[in-house]
Amino acid sequence: MSLGDERDPSGGYGGTGQTRTRLPDTSGDVYGGARRPGRSSSRSLVTVVGVVVLLITAIAFANRGGDGSGSAGGDENEPKSSTTAASGTRPVDGKAAGIPGGFARDEQGAQSAAANFSVALGSADMFNTARRHEIVSTVYAPDVAAKRQADLDSAYASEKFLANIGLDKNGAAPSGQTFVSRVIPVGTKTTSFSASTATVEVWYTSLFGLSGEGSTNPVSESWYTTTYELKWVGNDWKVTDFQQKDGPVPVGRDQRASSADDMTKAVEEYGGFTYAR
């Protein structure tokens, strides 16, 4: 893949995403300017009723018989429930450099590995040189790790790139602000698999930006799908390459943007997960 591994300011990593975020005219209030006016009481009532109806329908669907069979008129080409359902299998017991490791040598293990690797590669730790080296040497296969590390070091050392996202030349946020870079996987899919290689797609949402008063790059949300090429090396899955694309992107809800203080508090208090298929 080409060197576009520097972080896209819109929230992706790998440099292959092309999402552009258009910020509203904030008139000096970055977070307040993103807030939308409150809805009327009648509209709120309709929304609440609609949500309740959907919830009741969802509960009824979830409690149907579990024989896994569809209706007689169903499309035989539709995905089976096992395609998207969680397996309930514990992903791993151990970690290396803070990253889950020791995944099973099967499709579920490959999907769990890809999901956890996407979290590490999209984290704020990638902007710290020492931590980035640990992540790269842990996630990538040994025969490609050195090359990837050199490419990433070059990308993350770019003062122009860092300045564009509001960080100083050392990758640090301005005083009083918190740098946010977090990936939250939504789902995974195996597109090819063998005992030694696997191709896995990870669909995820990404939070990226600076939280804090005076931020000119407020935390925003983006959606991406990254396709990972994995290889079985040393009794575990490792990344050999990846490609990133935009979306699928859901329609945004009519919600108020949180304040700078609330966003900073959430990022500091809510930890991440070990992801399993």
Side-chain angles (χ1 to χ4, degrees):
M1 64 179 294
S2 62
L3 170 63
D5 279 326
E6 61 182 88
R7 178 67 183 248
D8 186 327
S10 64
Y13 66 88
T16 56
Q18 298 299 324
T19 298
R20 293 183 175 88
T21 301
R22 177 171 293 178
L23 299 178
D25 180 6
T26 60
S27 300
D29 181 358
V30 183
Y31 285 86
R35 298 188 181 114
R36 298 181 182 179
R39 293 172 289 183
S40 66
S41 59
S42 61
R43 183 180 176 188
S44 297
L45 178 60
V46 172
T47 301
V48 170
V49 172
V51 170
V52 171
V53 171
L54 289 174
L55 180 59
I56 293 174
T57 303
I59 293 174
F61 181 83
N63 288 319
R64 291 193 314 177
D67 60 0
S69 60
S71 62
D75 185 349
E76 64 180 8
N77 294 320
E78 291 181 355
K80 306 301 182 183
S81 61
S82 60
T83 304
T84 56
S87 68
T89 302
R90 183 179 178 86
V92 289
D93 293 318
K95 288 188 175 182
I99 304 170
F103 296 94
R105 194 173 186 175
D106 55 24
E107 289 192 38
Q108 290 186 20
Q111 290 182 40
S112 295
N116 284 283
F117 293 164
S118 68
V119 172
L121 290 169
S123 69
D125 285 345
M126 290 292 288
F127 290 77
N128 176 279
T129 302
R131 185 71 182 116
R132 180 171 64 250
H133 290 177
E134 285 186 327
I135 293 173
V136 171
S137 62
T138 300
V139 166
Y140 279 92
D143 57 339
V144 299
K147 176 63 166 60
R148 300 304 304 139
Q149 181 169 295
D151 290 343
L152 289 167
D153 283 345
S154 176
Y156 282 95
S158 169
E159 292 188 22
K160 180 179 180 181
F161 162 61
L162 294 172
N164 284 341
I165 59 178
L167 304 180
D168 65 20
K169 63 180 181 180
N170 297 315
S175 177
Q177 297 182 17
T178 300
F179 176 54
V180 180
S181 181
R182 185 177 293 196
V183 162
I184 306 97
V186 175
T188 58
K189 178 178 70 174
T190 302
T191 56
S192 68
F193 180 82
S194 71
S196 57
T197 62
T199 302
V200 178
E201 294 183 1
V202 181
W203 178 36
Y204 62 92
T205 181
S206 169
L207 302 179
F208 190 81
L210 290 167
S211 65
E213 296 297 338
S215 171
T216 58
N217 183 27
V219 179
S220 60
E221 178 187 33
S222 301
W223 290 81
Y224 300 95
T225 296
T226 294
T227 301
Y228 288 94
E229 300 296 335
L230 304 176
K231 181 168 64 173
W232 186 258
V233 181
N235 295 319
D236 209 351
W237 293 107
K238 300 293 182 182
V239 177
T240 58
D241 200 1
F242 71 84
Q243 296 293 331
Q244 178 184 288
K245 65 180 181 180
D246 290 352
V249 181
V251 175
R253 287 288 303 277
D254 187 10
Q255 294 179 295
R256 292 177 181 271
S258 296
S259 68
D261 288 342
D262 286 345
M263 182 61 69
T264 299
K265 183 178 180 181
V267 170
E268 292 175 346
E269 293 184 354
Y270 289 90
F273 300 94
T274 296
Y275 288 87
R277 169 62 176 85

